Amino acid sequence: DYSDQSGINTEDCNEGGLDVAYIENGDYICFKNVDFKDGANSLGFRVGANNSGSTLEVRLGSADGKLIGTLNVDATGGWQNWETQNCDIEKTTGKQDVYLVFKGGGGYLYNLNWWKINYIGSQPIRGDVNADGKLSSLDVIMMQKWLLNIPNAKLTDWKAGDLHENGKINAFDLALLRRLLLNQK
């Protein structure tokens, strides 16, 4: 749900909803009044990329505004093979207009499904993929539906679901989540 864009388009995403696609050098998307609250020093980006070598610049105020961070996008094995890649940013607070500016060579660079702010001091509850503040069987059900590609199954907090901590969510993470839930009781 960007506020403004230049050059991009959207397409159906195999994780549900739409992703930003057909990204070329110099394209951007803008999000108005993003609340960094008391502070953030990194962002997470859900990307799908055939090749490495492109970047994603995080700028404030305009597409050529203050540069607060740059993500070097790694190849994920395809346009719809998603990985969450993190980018350190200059500590940012309060409400800001955020521009994600896409840079690289010729042709399409990569796809972007979503991005999130990693707030300073906030740690997700391990396994709480629906981000309701607690670990429950609902998290197991949501992850299982997502792994089975059931429509409208969305993991709200991707980082909390990557229990194996390898940048991907798969059946191994589901098994770890089940074990975590059983050990909790």
Side-chain angles (χ1 to χ4, degrees):
D1 293 334
Y2 48 79
S3 305
D4 193 13
Q5 62 88 15
S6 176
I8 60 92
N9 209 330
T10 58
E11 66 181 3
D12 289 333
C13 177
N14 67 359
E15 292 189 328
L18 299 173
D19 62 76
V20 176
Y22 308 104
I23 295 170
E24 295 178 286
N25 186 44
D27 293 350
Y28 69 83
I29 53 178
C30 167
F31 300 85
K32 299 280 188 180
N33 295 312
V34 174
D35 193 355
F36 287 87
K37 301 181 182 178
D38 292 331
N41 56 11
S42 73
L43 302 174
F45 296 94
R46 192 79 173 139
V47 296
N50 275 342
N51 301 302
S52 297
S54 298
T55 61
L56 187 158
E57 295 179 349
V58 182
R59 295 184 174 269
L60 300 180
S62 69
D64 59 356
K66 181 180 180 181
L67 177 66
I68 62 168
T70 301
L71 173 70
N72 294 312
V73 177
D74 293 326
T76 65
W79 301 112
Q80 294 288 317
N81 291 343
W82 301 101
E83 289 182 12
T84 304
Q85 299 179 14
N86 290 297
C87 169
D88 291 333
I89 61 170
E90 183 179 311
K91 183 179 177 187
T92 304
T93 61
K95 291 188 178 182
Q96 306 284 342
D97 292 346
V98 176
Y99 285 76
L100 305 179
V101 182
F102 311 113
K103 299 288 186 166
Y108 297 129
L109 305 179
Y110 49 86
N111 289 346
L112 177 66
N113 188 2
W114 51 257
W115 68 283
K116 71 173 196 152
I117 299 170
N118 298 319
Y119 295 100
I120 295 172
S122 68
Q123 293 296 323
I125 296 172
R126 206 164 169 235
D128 181 21
V129 297
N130 65 2
D132 65 357
K134 61 185 179 229
L135 182 62
S136 71
S137 60
L138 294 175
D139 297 301
V140 173
I141 292 167
M142 183 57 68
M143 185 183 286
Q144 187 168 2
K145 285 181 173 182
W146 182 85
L147 287 168
L148 293 171
N149 288 321
I150 294 176
N152 299 322
K154 185 174 182 183
L155 303 182
T156 305
D157 190 337
W158 183 268
K159 188 174 183 180
D162 183 15
L163 297 168
H164 192 240
E165 298 180 345
N166 63 353
K168 301 175 184 179
I169 293 183
N170 56 32
F172 187 67
D173 294 297
L174 180 60
L176 289 173
L177 179 56
R178 287 181 177 147
R179 183 181 302 161
L180 188 64
L181 186 60
L182 288 173
N183 289 336
Q184 176 185 0
K185 298 185 184 222

